[in-house]
Amino acid sequence: MTLFWIKKAFFDFWDHFLVAIILNLGFIAVATVAFVIAPQIQGAGTALALIVLFIGIGLLFVYAGAVAMVARDISKYRNPSPASVLAYAREIWPTALIYAALVVGSLVLLTVAIPVYAGMNNLLGTAALALLFWAAVIWYVGLQFFFSVRAFLDTAFKKIIKKSFVVLFDNPLYSLISAFGFVFIIIVSVFTAFLLPGPTGAIIWLQSGFKLRLLKYDYLEEHPDADRRQIPWDRLLLDDRERVGKRTLRGMIFPWKE
């Protein structure tokens, strides 16, 4: 399943290459407000800089949520346009802003707690740091599914959080592969100024994987007595494999010649 996931995510991105580039330019523009403009106007007042920073971060999460909706459509073999981001942003902005507050708030708590525990210089402090580390890992690995659950399953904030962690604890290996893949794509994107594959490519990775993972739950719903450890992935992925098809380098670069 993992190998096909990699293949599907790659071709989901490749088949919508221009759309992804445009969406990545949008990410760069929005991120500029938070991480470039805000620090530069700090001389005009810390309060103003913080306001611009929070506005930029809020816009970034709303935009990411909208792109996640576009990526969902891509993973389901639809052909969305960059213009659909605006419609999705109007739909998702309240949930995305609460999610932004949750993520930023937890990061602030970590930056406060880590120096406190590290400064204790004793066994209790070390144990607290270890506990905090693993709690943070579980927290953020679970939160990676927030926009996926919002796009595919539910719209209520509490239910989104709950289902995100249900996915995590029910699929720990998948969750780790998903998180490592996301981080890897972001790191690689640094060398292309976040244009290729960029944040959009990372989100497509998440949505493609989540779309495939949901096949497991469709199967278990139809076969409640089935062994959860023996999912017939070859059969479940048959339709997706047919849709992705066999690709050649010639077909990727010159699809009209195939």
Side-chain angles (χ1 to χ4, degrees), residues 225-243:
D225 297 327
D227 186 349
R228 300 176 67 89
R229 295 169 296 180
Q230 300 294 328
I231 304 298
W233 285 111
D234 287 339
R235 176 153 57 91
L236 298 182
L237 295 175
L238 185 61
D239 181 64
D240 286 276
R241 283 178 171 146
E242 290 179 353
R243 284 177 174 269

Side-chain angles (χ1 to χ4, degrees), residues 50-238:
L50 287 174
I51 290 172
V52 174
L53 175 63
F54 288 139
I55 290 174
I57 292 174
L59 288 174
L60 187 61
F61 274 81
V62 171
Y63 185 77
V67 171
M69 301 291 280
V70 174
R72 174 206 59 188
D73 293 344
I74 289 173
S75 75
K76 297 176 78 169
Y77 311 104
R78 300 170 185 167
N79 291 298
S81 68
S84 60
V85 168
L86 294 176
Y88 283 138
R90 287 194 294 268
E91 174 186 339
I92 203 172
W93 73 266
T95 308
L97 289 180
I98 299 173
Y99 179 50
L102 187 66
V103 172
V104 173
S106 60
L107 285 173
V108 171
L109 287 176
L110 281 176
T111 58
V112 172
I114 290 175
V116 171
Y117 292 131
M120 294 174 66
N121 294 320
N122 56 32
L123 184 60
L124 180 61
T126 302
L129 279 175
L131 180 62
L132 187 65
F133 170 78
W134 288 112
V137 169
I138 293 171
W139 178 246
Y140 291 112
V141 172
L143 285 183
Q144 72 174 310
F145 299 122
F146 183 90
F147 283 134
S148 297
V149 175
R150 172 60 180 80
F152 285 93
L153 297 178
D154 215 314
T155 59
F157 184 82
K158 290 182 179 180
K159 291 182 178 180
I160 295 172
I161 294 294
K162 179 181 178 181
K163 290 180 181 180
S164 295
F165 285 94
V166 167
V167 172
L168 166 62
F169 291 119
D170 193 38
N171 307 272
L173 181 59
Y174 155 73
S175 301
L176 288 175
I177 293 172
S178 181
F180 279 122
F182 182 87
V183 172
F184 175 77
I185 292 170
I186 294 298
I187 291 173
V188 169
S189 299
V190 171
F191 301 100
T192 64
F194 295 102
L195 286 177
L196 289 172
T200 301
I203 292 174
I204 288 175
W205 161 259
L206 292 180
Q207 301 298 62
S208 295
F210 199 81
K211 190 265 184 191
L212 297 179
R213 183 56 43 168
L214 289 180
L215 296 175
K216 166 185 172 180
Y217 294 100
D218 292 339
Y219 170 78
L220 291 174
E221 185 176 353
E222 295 175 2
H223 305 84
D225 297 327
D227 186 349
R228 300 176 67 89
R229 295 169 296 180
Q230 300 294 328
I231 304 298
W233 285 111
D234 287 339
R235 176 153 57 91
L236 298 182
L237 295 175
L238 185 61

Side-chain angles (χ1 to χ4, degrees), residues 16-31:
H16 301 85
F17 184 82
L18 292 179
V19 171
I21 295 296
I22 293 171
L23 294 178
N24 281 335
L25 288 172
F27 267 112
I28 294 171
V30 176

